[in-house]
Amino acid sequence: MLRLIARRVAQMLLIMATVSLILFAIFDSDQFRKRVAISELGGFGVATLSEQDYQNWLENKGLNAPFLLRYGEWLGKLAQGDFGRSLEKNVEVSTLLSERLFNTSVLAFSVLLIMVPVSLLLGVLAGMDEGSLLDRIISIGAVISTSIPQIATAVLLTVVLALGLGWVPAKSAMVDGFNFRQLALPLLTLLIYDIGYVVRMTRASMAEVMTSHYIRTAVLKGLPYWRVIMKHALRNALIVPFTLIFLQLNWLLSEVVVVEVFFQYAGFGRMLFDAAVYGDIAVVQAATLVAVGVAVFSQLMSDIVYMVLNPRVRFA
């Protein structure tokens, strides 16, 4: 098991190194360099930037050095937590990134805290008795919740809960901190889709386990039904849902872009959107590295959980 984990960690580091090299090469092109030069020199377009001014800017920034040397210096700065400075916000990217990641972490943790027990419980109840009335009700609800686009869910919740009933604010600007009322709409928007998705996967896994031979044997031996469920069925049925839940960390990071922009929630997704629109290259670089890091880390955690729950992989 330790050998497999070490191999996964090595793969994760290799992926991060490859992504960082590709990312640096993309943003090191003349097109992106000139955009940064124009922003820093106070120009309004490529036509306002003379070639001489551009060359002087490159010389002052040390961008005429060989590619590998500049890449090594960039990696060294990253290792020290120096991601550069935001052109739009005029603050250190590391400061901006830590603030926005904290806000998104609060939202993501709230989603996982509610989603995990609710979706697992509903999925197990539906899969225990495939084809029953309870199974049909839960399955239909899960299909409906995953069929509605999140932007449509956000609009519907805003119209009903914020504009209609006035229970929660329509925006989550988080100017003076935040509370549950400010989190309610983005939280519900994410939960409605994610719970339905995990419920469907849990239900399918539980239904498959319940039809296996060892479950039938345990029932025929006269073991209490709930003992069969708790001791024999759940462990195998939860392998897929638990690994899927860890992968939700990666999916949440992509889902929050739409939700945070719509509700003006000051998190990682809105920061990335604003930086892309403005052309804030340093922020886009840092956000991309963080997103890739979360993706490979969630994959690593998913593999570890799968190995812990599945003895056939652990002892292979």
Side-chain angles (χ1 to χ4, degrees):
M1 181 175 175
L2 292 178
R3 184 177 300 177
L4 287 175
I5 294 176
R7 189 183 305 167
R8 293 292 190 274
V9 172
Q11 291 174 354
M12 181 181 71
L13 294 177
L14 180 60
I15 291 173
M16 289 297 299
T18 304
V19 169
S20 68
L21 179 59
I22 295 174
L23 192 64
F24 182 80
I26 291 174
F27 289 106
D28 193 57
S29 63
D30 270 345
Q31 177 184 0
F32 287 102
R33 283 180 174 184
K34 287 183 177 180
R35 291 188 64 176
V36 177
I38 291 169
S39 299
E40 291 189 359
L41 297 177
F44 298 97
V46 177
T48 65
L49 182 67
S50 66
E51 185 63 26
Q52 185 61 44
D53 290 339
Y54 178 58
Q55 293 300 326
N56 291 337
W57 181 83
L58 290 176
E59 187 68 29
N60 293 332
K61 292 291 185 178
L63 296 177
N64 288 328
F67 175 82
L68 291 179
L69 178 60
R70 286 184 283 110
Y71 174 65
E73 292 177 352
W74 182 66
L75 285 182
K77 291 180 179 179
L78 290 183
Q80 298 174 5
D82 183 5
F83 293 94
R85 194 170 186 84
S86 169
L87 295 175
E88 179 189 10
K89 307 294 185 183
N90 195 27
V91 296
E92 293 295 327
V93 175
S94 57
T95 302
L96 180 64
L97 193 62
S98 61
E99 293 175 354
R100 297 303 182 89
L101 277 175
F102 173 77
N103 293 339
T104 297
S105 298
V106 172
L107 182 59
F109 178 77
S110 301
V111 170
L112 292 174
L113 191 65
I114 299 173
M115 179 197 69
V116 172
V118 172
S119 58
L120 291 182
L121 177 61
L122 292 177
V124 168
L125 290 175
M128 282 171 50
D129 192 6
E130 188 177 9
S132 64
L133 178 61
L134 180 62
D135 176 33
R136 294 178 186 277
I137 293 174
I138 294 175
S139 298
I140 291 173
V143 170
I144 292 174
S145 67
T146 54
S147 300
I148 304 175
Q150 286 183 326
I151 186 66
T153 303
V155 172
L156 181 62
L157 290 176
T158 301
V159 171
V160 175
L161 298 182
L163 302 181
L165 300 175
W167 289 351
V168 292
K171 299 178 182 179
S172 303
M174 296 177 61
V175 176
D176 301 318
F178 60 86
N179 53 38
F180 177 77
R181 293 182 72 249
Q182 291 179 317
L183 275 178
L185 288 182
L187 181 61
L188 286 174
T189 303
L190 292 171
L191 280 174
I192 287 174
Y193 179 86
D194 290 341
I195 287 179
Y197 182 72
V198 178
V199 164
R200 293 177 64 186
M201 297 299 105
T202 306
R203 183 258 180 202
S205 179
M206 188 68 183
E208 182 181 359
V209 169
M210 292 301 294
T211 59
S212 59
H213 295 297
Y214 68 91
I215 295 296
R216 292 178 180 177
T217 302
V219 173
L220 291 174
K221 283 184 176 180
L223 294 178
Y225 186 69
W226 283 104
R227 183 180 177 186
V228 173
I229 297 296
M230 300 299 296
K231 188 174 181 180
H232 300 283
L234 275 183
R235 181 180 180 88
N236 290 320
L238 293 180
I239 291 177
V240 172
F242 266 112
T243 53
L244 185 68
I245 286 169
F246 278 97
L247 293 178
Q248 284 289 106
L249 296 175
N250 182 32
W251 295 337
L252 276 173
L253 208 58
S254 60
E255 290 173 345
V256 295
V257 176
V258 174
V259 174
E260 290 182 353
V261 170
F262 183 86
F263 292 111
Q264 298 186 14
Y265 185 86
F268 177 84
R270 186 182 173 192
M271 179 197 72
L272 179 57
F273 176 82
D274 291 343
V277 172
Y278 186 83
D280 202 341
I281 294 175
V283 176
V284 174
Q285 278 184 316
T288 305
L289 283 176
V290 170
V292 174
V294 172
V296 296
F297 177 75
S298 62
Q299 183 64 60
L300 173 64
M301 295 304 298
S302 175
D303 291 340
I304 292 176
V305 171
Y306 185 78
M307 286 185 287
V308 170
L309 294 176
N310 193 342
R312 290 175 297 181
V313 175
R314 188 166 69 247
F315 297 111

